[in-house]
């Protein structure tokens, strides 16, 4: 399985890196918010509060819509041809998910580079820990997106996922901490796992490591990863049996 995963991952990364414009374009919206909204936000907040929110926004938009790729492969017959190969079904999923993770890493590094130019001053340890958290979250989101794409009518995937991503971004507190929201909206946001991950990221970017907020964020990320990868694997096995 490891060999199959590596072969598929290497192929996917090669294809992805040849599409440099696509990688940059995927990070355009968070970058625009950083450039156009950041200077306004920092009149009452900090870059260390805003940038984690933009990273979560990037992850939701980039990884949450990863299923588009497999819809194209399904329509073009690529997925059907892969089904008849001896490659492990889990490897078919992991190869894709790891490729998506590379895309997220490059986009996140681009966002952080611009953020540092504007004034972000997060500690190295906080950046490293936050980076790991974001990558795990991205892997989970991509696996879940593939599961949805394989089980949903392909004509509905785009409108349903696009509609779902925007409320999730807003409820996570990407633009403003949800503690500033009305009580009912703050309570509703607690149903989203991304709020806890974002709050943990903000703590890490402020140099706070061993806190309850970080612990909850890590725990939520771990549970979300287990659930998403389990669902993704089962759906992929069933659809590609």
């Amino acid at each position: 399985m490891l060999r199959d995963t590596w072969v598929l991952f290497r192929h996917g990364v090669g294809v992805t890196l040849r599409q440099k414009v696509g990688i940059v374009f995927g990070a355009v919206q968070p970058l625009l918010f950083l450039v156009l909204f950041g200077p306004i936000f920092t009149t009452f907040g900090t870059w260390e509060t805003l940038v984690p929110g933009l990273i979560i926004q990037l992850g939701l938009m980039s990884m949450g819509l990863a299923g588009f790729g497999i819809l194209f492969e399904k329509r073009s017959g690529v997925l059907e041809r892969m089904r008849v190969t001896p490659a492990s079904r889990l490897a078919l999923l992991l190869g894709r998910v790891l490729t998506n993770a590379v895309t997220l890493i490059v986009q996140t590094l681009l966002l952080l580079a611009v953020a540092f130019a504007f004034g972000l001053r997060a500690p190295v340890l906080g950046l490293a820990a936050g980076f790991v958290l974001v990558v795990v979250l991205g892997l989970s989101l991509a696996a879940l997106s593939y599961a949805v794409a394989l089980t949903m009518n392909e004509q509905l995937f785009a409108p349903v996922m696009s509609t779902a991503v925007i409320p999730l971004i807003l409820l996570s507190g990407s633009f403003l901490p949800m503690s500033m929201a009305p009580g009912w909206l703050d309570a509703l946001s607690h149903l989203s796992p991304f709020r806890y991950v974002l709050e943990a990221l903000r703590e890490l970017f402020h140099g706070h490591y061993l806190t309850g907020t970080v612990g909850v964020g890590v725990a939520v990320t771990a549970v979300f990863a287990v659930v998403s990868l389990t669902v993704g694997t089962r759906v992929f096995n069933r659809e590609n049996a």
Side-chain angles (χ1 to χ4, degrees):
M1 187 194 74
L2 291 177
R3 180 179 177 277
D4 293 338
T5 300
W6 169 248
V7 170
L8 290 165
F9 169 69
R10 187 176 59 186
H11 172 73
V13 169
V15 172
T16 298
L17 294 181
R18 287 197 295 271
Q19 300 171 345
K20 298 180 179 63
V21 175
I23 295 176
V24 174
F25 186 77
V28 164
Q29 187 166 326
L31 283 170
L32 286 176
F33 276 112
L34 177 69
V35 174
L36 301 178
F37 179 63
I40 300 173
F41 182 88
T42 52
T43 60
F44 58 88
T46 65
W47 291 107
E48 291 74 29
T49 298
L50 175 64
V51 174
L54 296 179
I55 292 174
I56 293 295
Q57 178 191 354
L58 174 63
L60 277 165
M61 295 182 66
S62 181
M63 300 297 100
L65 301 177
F68 275 119
I70 207 164
L71 287 179
F72 175 78
E73 291 183 0
K74 192 175 180 181
R75 284 196 298 268
S76 62
V78 173
L79 190 59
E80 185 67 27
R81 290 194 293 272
M82 285 187 173
R83 287 172 61 180
V84 299
T85 67
S88 160
R89 298 300 183 254
L90 180 57
L92 293 179
L93 173 64
L94 290 178
R96 288 175 171 82
V97 167
L98 291 172
T99 300
N100 294 133
V102 171
T103 300
L104 180 61
I105 288 170
V106 173
Q107 291 174 333
T108 303
L109 288 174
L110 176 61
L111 182 63
L112 286 173
V114 177
F116 266 99
F118 271 78
L120 174 68
R121 292 298 179 266
V124 174
L125 182 58
L127 284 171
F131 206 79
V132 172
L133 208 60
V134 168
V135 171
V136 174
L137 183 67
L139 289 169
S140 311
L141 278 168
L144 199 57
S145 181
Y146 285 128
V148 173
L150 286 171
T151 55
M152 180 179 288
N153 183 298
E154 58 184 73
Q155 302 300 323
L156 294 176
F157 179 78
V160 169
M161 292 302 289
S162 298
T163 301
V165 163
I166 300 303
L168 287 173
I169 290 173
L170 295 174
L171 287 174
S172 71
S174 287
F175 301 111
L176 292 171
M178 293 308 296
S179 57
M180 300 174 64
W184 66 270
L185 192 58
D186 183 35
L188 183 61
S189 72
H190 280 91
L191 299 175
S192 169
F194 306 108
R195 168 173 178 159
Y196 303 100
V197 181
L198 175 52
E199 289 178 346
L201 273 180
R202 284 177 171 152
E203 286 281 286
L204 293 169
F205 274 45
H206 279 95
H208 306 144
Y209 308 119
L210 301 178
T211 69
T213 300
V214 172
V216 170
V218 170
V220 169
T221 302
V223 171
F224 184 71
V226 170
V227 171
S228 298
L229 291 171
T230 299
V231 170
T233 301
R234 287 181 177 176
V235 169
F236 220 85
N237 282 338
R238 184 178 70 244
E239 294 297 322
N240 293 281

